[in-house]
Amino acid sequence: MIVLGVESSCDETGLALYDTQKGLLAHALHSQIAMHQEYGGVVPELASRDHIRRTLPLLEQVFADSGVQREAIDAIAFTQGPGLAGALLVGASFANGLAMALNKPVIGVHHLEGHLLSPLLASNPPSFPFVALLVSGGHTQLMRVDGVGQYTLLGETLDDAAGEAFDKSAKLLGLPYPGGPAISQLAEQGNPDSFQFPRPMMHSKDFQFSFSGLKTAVLTAVKAQPEPLSDVVKADIARGFVDAIVDVLVHKCMKALKETGLQRLVIAGGVGANRQLRNALNTAAARRKYQVFYPELEFCTDNGAMIAFAGAMRLQSDPALARSEYGFNVNPRWALQGLNTAQG
């Protein structure tokens, strides 16, 4: 089965072809970071317009790179949600229009399920069951995963997501967009003893997270310093912030593994590319003899490959999910655990 995947939930346009026999055949991605930099964040209307410009050229690229003819695909998967409504509608309309033209079925894919399953694209994929940490700009969730579509929410953030805290704290330090990679890079030059920030809910008896207070602590530290902030102070604040957020994420992950009795941990989402987080998780897991799995770095951020793969896995488990009633329905707010009983 060959599935074409279309991703357009936010500020990356991604298309890919996945073959259930041969694996990933081709993928292409366009990031809008340069366009949104001058605004300091994603502008939804500009994102939607850029998706319109990029989808067809990327489609032609993946077919050319793979050598697959359009008529040879078996289905088209697209990101149905969650995400920016306008951006989702571009991908949905493109996928459904192409499917109608080629007389192929379509399947709407949950964006977070794509991230969740993306480590299975790696050369050394994890096997079920496992604990998964979904950590990105919009989400921070711990899940128990027993199979495709079998997700149990263990805990999630009560306010800001980890990636959002990274971006907002970076902005407080005057770092360029996107702030997450910038503050992580700066933190490597900082002194870990200069600023000790709180570890919110680190020792709570559940798996919930909260990062808005940590962001406020960074703001308080910035305001307490003489202006302008020196590069040394910026690096020290960045280090204190990154250490705090990494400590919380690692502690909760180890706690989830211990309480579920599982041995495998999967990290998915854009923050999963963070070097400090990876190093800390690897160290903590090795000490307890757990295994940690990550997506390839190119698949940590939004991409079409994870959507094509998730769509293929869904169709293999339940071919009835493929539909030929074409429509542009999207779901900007869509709970992942709802997939246990129904496909959006």
Side-chain angles (χ1 to χ4, degrees):
M1 180 195 304
I2 299 177
V3 177
L4 171 68
V6 181
E7 157 62 24
S8 68
S9 65
C10 190
D11 60 341
E12 273 101 12
T13 314
L15 281 87
L17 285 167
Y18 181 82
D19 188 328
T20 54
Q21 298 296 319
K22 300 178 181 179
L24 186 63
L25 302 178
H27 69 99
L29 182 71
H30 175 78
S31 174
Q32 301 175 3
I33 285 177
M35 180 178 69
H36 295 293
Q37 270 181 334
E38 63 178 297
Y39 304 101
V42 177
V43 181
E45 179 63 25
L46 294 181
S48 301
R49 293 181 181 184
D50 200 61
H51 287 309
I52 294 172
R53 286 192 290 268
R54 306 295 178 180
T55 45
L56 187 55
L58 292 177
L59 177 73
E60 294 173 345
Q61 181 180 335
V62 295
F63 279 120
D65 291 348
S66 65
V68 172
Q69 299 299 311
R70 298 185 184 191
E71 294 73 16
I73 65 174
D74 297 292
I76 300 177
F78 67 94
T79 303
Q80 192 171 1
L84 301 175
L88 290 168
L89 282 168
V90 174
S93 59
F94 180 82
N96 280 271
L98 181 61
M100 182 181 294
L102 298 176
N103 194 28
K104 303 293 182 179
V106 293
I107 178 171
V109 170
H110 195 292
H111 179 75
L112 295 184
E113 183 172 38
H115 277 303
L116 188 66
L117 299 179
S118 60
L120 276 67
L121 285 165
S123 56
N124 179 35
S127 56
F128 300 113
F130 53 77
V131 169
L133 173 67
L134 286 167
V135 58
S136 67
H139 301 85
T140 302
Q141 297 179 327
L142 272 169
M143 290 272 180
R144 177 188 172 115
V145 180
D146 289 289
V148 175
Q150 300 176 45
Y151 312 126
T152 303
L153 180 65
L154 301 177
E156 61 185 339
T157 182
L158 302 177
D159 39 60
D160 290 355
E164 184 180 2
F166 267 94
D167 289 339
K168 288 181 177 178
S169 296
K171 192 171 184 178
L172 291 173
L173 293 175
L175 300 178
Y177 172 86
I183 196 171
S184 295
Q185 184 175 359
L186 183 61
E188 294 180 354
Q189 306 167 30
N191 182 345
D193 299 321
S194 294
F195 290 89
Q196 294 295 319
F197 292 120
R199 273 63 171 164
M201 300 190 72
M202 182 165 166
H203 297 293
S204 65
K205 296 181 179 180
D206 52 30
F207 299 110
Q208 305 293 77
F209 300 91
S210 173
F211 297 113
S212 63
L214 180 56
K215 177 193 63 183
T216 302
V218 171
L219 175 61
T220 302
V222 169
K223 287 184 174 181
Q225 306 305 311
E227 295 184 355
L229 289 180
S230 69
D231 291 341
V232 171
V233 170
K234 285 184 179 180
D236 289 346
I237 292 176
R239 178 61 183 268
F241 165 78
V242 171
D243 285 352
I245 208 165
V246 166
D247 283 352
V248 172
L249 293 173
V250 171
H251 180 82
K252 294 281 186 172
C253 285
M254 296 303 107
K255 176 181 172 68
L257 287 168
K258 180 179 180 179
E259 294 197 11
T260 59
L262 300 179
Q263 301 295 311
R264 290 176 290 275
L265 174 68
V266 161
I267 310 300
V271 181
N274 182 276
R275 184 161 50 242
Q276 292 97 330
L277 178 60
R278 287 192 176 210
N279 290 341
L281 281 170
N282 290 341
T283 299
R287 189 181 303 124
R288 298 166 175 80
K289 302 188 185 305
Y290 295 137
Q291 292 179 287
V292 188
F293 299 85
Y294 308 92
E296 302 291 346
L297 283 175
E298 62 184 325
F299 300 136
C300 284
T301 56
D302 298 347
N303 61 87
M306 68 182 192
I307 302 304
F309 179 74
M313 295 301 97
R314 278 282 173 176
L315 291 173
Q316 276 193 318
S317 63
D318 187 359
L321 292 174
R323 58 181 177 82
S324 298
E325 299 82 24
Y326 307 111
F328 302 162
N329 59 316
V330 295
N331 196 340
R333 297 182 181 275
W334 189 6
L336 179 59
Q337 57 269 31
L339 293 177
N340 291 339
T341 56
Q343 182 71 13

